[in-house]
Amino acid sequence: HLEWVYRSGESLIINIPPRHAKSLLVSVFFNAWVWVNDPSKTFLCSTRSQPLTLRDSQRARELIKSKWFSELFGAMQFAEDQDAKSFYKNLQKGSRQSVSVNSGVTGDGADIRLVDDPVDASDSLNDEALKKANTWFDQTFSTRISSPDYTPIIIVMQRLADNDLSGHLIEKGHNVLCLPLEYD
Protein backbone atom coordinates (compact mmCIF):
# COMPACT_ATOMS: atom_id res chain seq x y z
CA HIS A 1 0.00 0.00 0.00
CA LEU A 2 2.85 2.40 0.76
CA GLU A 3 4.47 1.58 -2.56
CA TRP A 4 1.13 2.31 -4.27
CA VAL A 5 1.00 5.74 -2.59
CA TYR A 6 4.57 6.51 -3.69
CA ARG A 7 4.04 5.41 -7.28
CA SER A 8 0.51 6.78 -7.80
CA GLY A 9 0.69 10.01 -5.84
CA GLU A 10 -2.64 9.10 -4.21
CA SER A 11 -3.35 9.59 -0.52
CA LEU A 12 -4.08 6.87 2.02
CA ILE A 13 -5.42 6.61 5.55
CA ILE A 14 -4.07 3.61 7.45
CA ASN A 15 -6.02 2.71 10.57
CA ILE A 16 -4.09 0.34 12.79
CA PRO A 17 -4.14 -0.30 16.55
CA PRO A 18 -1.40 1.08 18.82
CA ARG A 19 1.83 -0.88 19.31
CA HIS A 20 1.72 -2.43 15.82
CA ALA A 21 4.82 -0.67 14.39
CA LYS A 22 2.85 2.02 12.56
CA SER A 23 5.38 4.75 13.32
CA LEU A 24 8.32 2.57 12.31
CA LEU A 25 6.69 1.46 9.07
CA VAL A 26 5.38 4.83 7.90
CA SER A 27 7.49 7.49 9.63
CA VAL A 28 10.85 5.70 9.58
CA PHE A 29 11.17 2.84 7.06
CA PHE A 30 9.05 4.43 4.31
CA ASN A 31 11.28 7.53 4.17
CA ALA A 32 14.37 5.34 3.75
CA TRP A 33 12.69 3.16 1.10
CA VAL A 34 11.56 6.17 -0.92
CA TRP A 35 15.07 7.65 -0.87
CA VAL A 36 16.49 4.37 -2.18
CA ASN A 37 14.16 4.81 -5.16
CA ASP A 38 14.30 8.60 -5.51
CA PRO A 39 16.58 10.51 -3.13
CA SER A 40 15.23 13.84 -4.39
CA LYS A 41 11.81 13.33 -2.75
CA THR A 42 10.93 15.73 0.05
CA PHE A 43 8.95 14.84 3.18
CA LEU A 44 6.87 16.82 5.63
CA CYS A 45 6.18 14.63 8.66
CA SER A 46 3.97 15.34 11.63
CA THR A 47 2.72 13.72 14.79
CA ARG A 48 0.84 14.99 17.83
CA SER A 49 3.95 16.12 19.73
CA GLN A 50 7.35 17.51 18.87
CA PRO A 51 9.27 14.86 20.88
CA LEU A 52 7.57 12.03 18.95
CA THR A 53 8.12 13.80 15.64
CA LEU A 54 11.81 14.27 16.40
CA ARG A 55 12.14 10.67 17.64
CA ASP A 56 10.91 9.29 14.31
CA SER A 57 12.97 11.78 12.31
CA GLN A 58 16.10 10.75 14.19
CA ARG A 59 15.31 7.05 13.73
CA ALA A 60 14.93 7.53 9.96
CA ARG A 61 18.17 9.51 9.74
CA GLU A 62 20.07 6.91 11.81
CA LEU A 63 18.75 4.12 9.57
CA ILE A 64 19.72 5.93 6.37
CA LYS A 65 23.19 6.74 7.76
CA SER A 66 23.76 3.22 9.13
CA LYS A 67 26.52 0.95 7.88
CA TRP A 68 23.91 -1.72 7.06
CA PHE A 69 21.90 0.68 4.87
CA SER A 70 25.03 2.02 3.16
CA GLU A 71 26.29 -1.46 2.33
CA LEU A 72 22.94 -2.47 0.82
CA PHE A 73 21.93 0.72 -0.97
CA GLY A 74 24.99 2.97 -1.09
CA ALA A 75 25.88 5.79 1.22
CA MET A 76 23.43 8.68 1.37
CA GLN A 77 25.30 11.94 1.76
CA PHE A 78 23.69 14.70 3.84
CA ALA A 79 24.21 18.43 3.48
CA GLU A 80 26.45 19.43 6.38
CA ASP A 81 24.55 22.64 7.06
CA GLN A 82 21.10 20.92 6.88
CA ASP A 83 21.42 17.92 9.20
CA ALA A 84 19.35 18.62 12.31
CA LYS A 85 16.74 16.40 13.95
CA SER A 86 13.85 18.56 12.76
CA PHE A 87 15.17 19.17 9.23
CA TYR A 88 17.75 17.40 7.14
CA LYS A 89 18.60 17.37 3.48
CA ASN A 90 20.57 14.95 1.36
CA LEU A 91 22.86 16.03 -1.47
CA GLN A 92 20.26 14.93 -4.06
CA LYS A 93 17.93 17.68 -2.76
CA GLY A 94 15.69 15.29 -0.84
CA SER A 95 14.70 16.51 2.60
CA ARG A 96 12.69 15.67 5.67
CA GLN A 97 11.06 18.32 7.80
CA SER A 98 9.38 17.27 11.03
CA VAL A 99 6.70 19.33 12.75
CA SER A 100 4.09 18.72 15.40
CA VAL A 101 0.36 18.84 14.72
CA ASN A 102 -1.01 22.37 15.09
CA SER A 103 2.40 23.93 14.43
CA GLY A 104 2.95 26.39 11.63
CA VAL A 105 4.40 25.20 8.34
CA THR A 106 3.73 28.33 6.30
CA GLY A 107 6.13 28.63 3.40
CA ASP A 108 7.13 24.98 3.53
CA GLY A 109 5.99 22.19 1.26
CA ALA A 110 6.91 18.64 0.36
CA ASP A 111 6.35 15.89 -2.15
CA ILE A 112 5.13 13.40 0.45
CA ARG A 113 3.32 14.38 3.62
CA LEU A 114 2.89 12.06 6.61
CA VAL A 115 0.66 12.40 9.67
CA ASP A 116 1.16 9.84 12.43
CA ASP A 117 -1.38 9.81 15.31
CA PRO A 118 -2.44 13.46 15.17
CA VAL A 119 -4.22 13.36 18.55
CA ASP A 120 -3.29 11.61 21.77
CA ALA A 121 -5.65 8.79 22.73
CA SER A 122 -6.40 10.60 25.99
CA ASP A 123 -8.13 13.27 23.87
CA SER A 124 -10.42 10.78 22.12
CA LEU A 125 -13.48 12.26 23.84
CA ASN A 126 -12.27 15.85 23.53
CA ASP A 127 -14.25 17.25 20.61
CA GLU A 128 -12.25 20.49 20.70
CA ALA A 129 -8.91 18.67 20.34
CA LEU A 130 -10.26 16.52 17.49
CA LYS A 131 -11.71 19.54 15.70
CA LYS A 132 -8.46 21.49 16.15
CA ALA A 133 -6.45 18.66 14.52
CA ASN A 134 -8.94 18.41 11.65
CA THR A 135 -8.87 22.18 11.06
CA TRP A 136 -5.04 22.21 11.16
CA PHE A 137 -4.99 19.43 8.58
CA ASP A 138 -7.53 21.12 6.27
CA GLN A 139 -6.22 24.66 6.47
CA THR A 140 -2.49 24.15 6.92
CA PHE A 141 -0.98 20.71 6.43
CA SER A 142 -2.97 19.54 3.39
CA THR A 143 -1.96 22.66 1.43
CA ARG A 144 1.79 22.17 1.82
CA ILE A 145 2.52 20.62 -1.57
CA SER A 146 5.54 20.96 -3.85
CA SER A 147 3.77 20.06 -7.08
CA PRO A 148 0.05 20.05 -7.92
CA ASP A 149 0.67 16.90 -9.99
CA TYR A 150 1.98 14.79 -7.09
CA THR A 151 0.20 15.23 -3.74
CA PRO A 152 0.33 12.06 -1.62
CA ILE A 153 -0.57 12.21 2.04
CA ILE A 154 -0.34 9.21 4.36
CA ILE A 155 -2.23 9.33 7.62
CA VAL A 156 -1.50 6.46 9.97
CA MET A 157 -3.40 6.32 13.21
CA GLN A 158 -5.57 4.40 15.59
CA ARG A 159 -9.23 5.27 15.35
CA LEU A 160 -10.30 7.33 18.33
CA ALA A 161 -13.76 8.65 17.53
CA ASP A 162 -16.17 9.10 14.65
CA ASN A 163 -14.97 12.70 14.23
CA ASP A 164 -11.22 12.07 14.46
CA LEU A 165 -9.01 12.91 11.46
CA SER A 166 -9.69 9.52 9.85
CA GLY A 167 -13.44 9.96 10.14
CA HIS A 168 -13.18 13.54 8.93
CA LEU A 169 -11.31 12.45 5.78
CA ILE A 170 -13.28 9.26 5.18
CA GLU A 171 -16.36 11.48 4.81
CA LYS A 172 -14.45 13.30 2.04
CA GLY A 173 -13.78 10.03 0.18
CA HIS A 174 -10.13 9.34 1.06
CA ASN A 175 -8.70 5.85 0.50
CA VAL A 176 -8.60 3.72 3.66
CA LEU A 177 -6.65 0.65 4.70
CA CYS A 178 -7.99 -0.73 7.98
CA LEU A 179 -5.82 -3.28 9.77
CA PRO A 180 -7.86 -4.39 12.81
CA LEU A 181 -6.45 -5.81 16.02
CA GLU A 182 -8.40 -9.00 15.39
CA TYR A 183 -9.26 -10.27 11.95
CA ASP A 184 -12.34 -12.40 11.27
Side-chain angles (χ1 to χ4, degrees):
H1 286 86
L2 294 174
E3 182 178 353
W4 170 79
V5 169
Y6 166 71
R7 299 207 187 284
S8 71
E10 296 286 330
S11 294
L12 180 65
I13 298 167
I14 303 170
N15 291 141
I16 187 170
R19 309 303 308 158
H20 280 73
K22 67 181 175 308
S23 295
L24 284 173
L25 292 169
V26 175
S27 296
V28 178
F29 302 150
F30 182 63
N31 187 168
W33 180 84
V34 168
W35 277 3
V36 166
N37 292 280
D38 184 352
S40 70
K41 288 292 185 209
T42 58
F43 286 83
L44 180 58
C45 305
S46 182
T47 190
R48 68 183 172 271
S49 73
Q50 192 67 9
L52 289 176
T53 299
L54 295 178
R55 177 202 68 187
D56 293 338
S57 179
Q58 185 172 350
R59 286 176 172 173
R61 186 177 63 173
E62 287 173 357
L63 172 63
I64 294 164
K65 286 184 167 188
S66 72
K67 181 179 177 185
W68 172 86
F69 188 90
S70 296
E71 288 174 354
L72 283 174
F73 306 111
M76 178 75 59
Q77 299 297 316
F78 286 78
E80 290 181 23
D81 62 337
Q82 299 293 320
D83 193 9
K85 285 181 188 179
S86 62
F87 181 81
Y88 47 87
K89 188 180 250 184
N90 64 42
L91 295 182
Q92 291 78 22
K93 302 203 186 319
S95 66
R96 177 181 173 130
Q97 180 177 359
S98 300
V99 298
S100 60
V101 170
N102 296 315
S103 66
V105 289
T106 303
D108 298 315
D111 298 314
I112 300 170
R113 293 153 299 151
L114 308 174
V115 178
D116 180 353
D117 276 336
V119 176
D120 190 276
S122 65
D123 283 327
S124 64
L125 300 176
N126 183 336
D127 287 335
E128 186 177 316
L130 297 172
K131 184 177 179 182
K132 188 175 180 181
N134 295 347
T135 300
W136 171 83
F137 179 86
D138 288 343
Q139 296 179 0
T140 304
F141 194 79
S142 67
T143 66
R144 307 287 92 206
I145 59 173
S146 292
S147 167
D149 299 325
Y150 187 77
T151 60
I153 297 175
I154 299 170
I155 295 149
V156 60
M157 62 182 285
Q158 59 180 312
R159 283 306 307 268
L160 298 173
D162 289 339
N163 59 338
D164 64 9
L165 185 58
S166 285
H168 176 68
L169 296 175
I170 289 168
E171 282 184 4
K172 295 180 178 189
H174 283 249
N175 299 304
V176 180
L177 170 64
C178 181
L179 302 171
L181 181 60
E182 294 182 11
Y183 183 74
D184 292 328

